[in-house]
Amino acid sequence: MMIINRNILTLDEFTIQQLRQFPQATGELSSLLRDIGLASKRINVEVNKAGLVDILGDAGTVNVQGEDVKKLDVYANNQFMGVLKHGISCAGIGSEELDEVVVFDDEVSNNSKYVVMFDPLDGSGNIDVNISIGTIFGIYRRVSPIGTPCTKEDFLQPGNRQVAAGYVVYGSSTMLVYATRRGVNGFTLDPAIGEFCLSHPDIKCPSSGKIYSVNHGNFFSYEKNVQQYITACQKKDKTNGGPYTQRYIGSMVADVHRNLLKGGIFMYPGTIDKPKGKLRLMYECNPFAFIIEVAGGTATNGTQRILDIQPTELHQRTPMFIGSKEMMLELENFSKV
Ligand code: P6P
């Protein structure tokens, strides 16, 4: 009998295994995740070369192969748009890079039941200093009739309507993490075979932690309760849970990924001049809020569950507090003061 090495499942094998457990499933979601994995692998190649941009030519120039050199986030956007448009599972996309949604409006796409929101390359400003960056995506079942072009209403759904969400972190290794309501699973890219392989099955966010992530430079612009919580994190000693440590690298995907695995809290609060903060609801906060809740954590805007926010605009911003359940409760206690 042939022994099949089932030790290391690839992303494709994993999604197909999940599919086998739901005979009634159409396989569209599995196909969508495979498309996203393919685009991520192509982006990974370019991100890893980013340090050579002087040799390869800067955005807006023509490289030695005579190709137009695009900014990496434009390249990433085009990769995702391309695989999703030519796949069989997506009716249209919304992107951080594009002012308006893109309705694919062809027969196959119009008969697809999903739409995808994504930030193709979040933190791309960190590329030239070699700090990890990432892709963030959220998948929604469309609300408009199958067989017709998707509409903007398909995209302006609250995050609690997501079917799946995930991110790719281009770091010391390249990892794709995605969640459905059944669980959160992480896949590390094995360059030897060019496949994402299951490395972090069934990820759970530790209920507490000792890492707090925030931009201290804005401290005096934060609301009083946020300042009080941050100060309390700094005053922790052995009598009240031991000292916390501050970790913030200015790349949300990397910061939240670390806290998801190790436990911790990530905050991007509103400030006096930007009360809605900086992060985007639809393709930065909603996907991570979905992932963290499936993993056992919580995510709010300071007063409301992120996933319950009813969006009104594609690119609207929201304050974001996300992480280990007990640390989020600590923060909430301050806001009740
Ligand atoms: P600040 C990157 O530009 C980003 O959108 C997130 O990835 C990151 O968490 C945040 O901005 C950092 O913003 O204002 O602290 O530099």
Side-chain angles (χ1 to χ4, degrees), residues 96 119 121-126 132-134 136 214-218 222 248-256 266-268 274 278-280 284 317:
E96 192 265 351
D119 183 351
L121 211 55
D122 179 74
S124 51
N126 291 309
S132 301
I133 54 178
I136 314 166
V214 69
N215 182 337
H216 269 278
N218 299 329
Y222 295 145
Y248 187 79
I249 67 169
S251 181
M252 180 186 194
V253 175
D255 277 320
V256 179
F266 172 91
M267 298 173 272
Y268 205 104
K274 293 180 183 171
K278 173 182 183 183
L279 301 180
R280 309 287 186 170
E284 289 175 338
R317 302 175 193 268

Side-chain angles (χ1 to χ4, degrees), residues 278-286 315-318:
K278 173 182 183 183
L279 301 180
R280 309 287 186 170
L281 171 65
M282 294 309 294
Y283 39 78
E284 289 175 338
C285 298
N286 270 336
H315 300 286
Q316 70 186 68
R317 302 175 193 268
T318 176

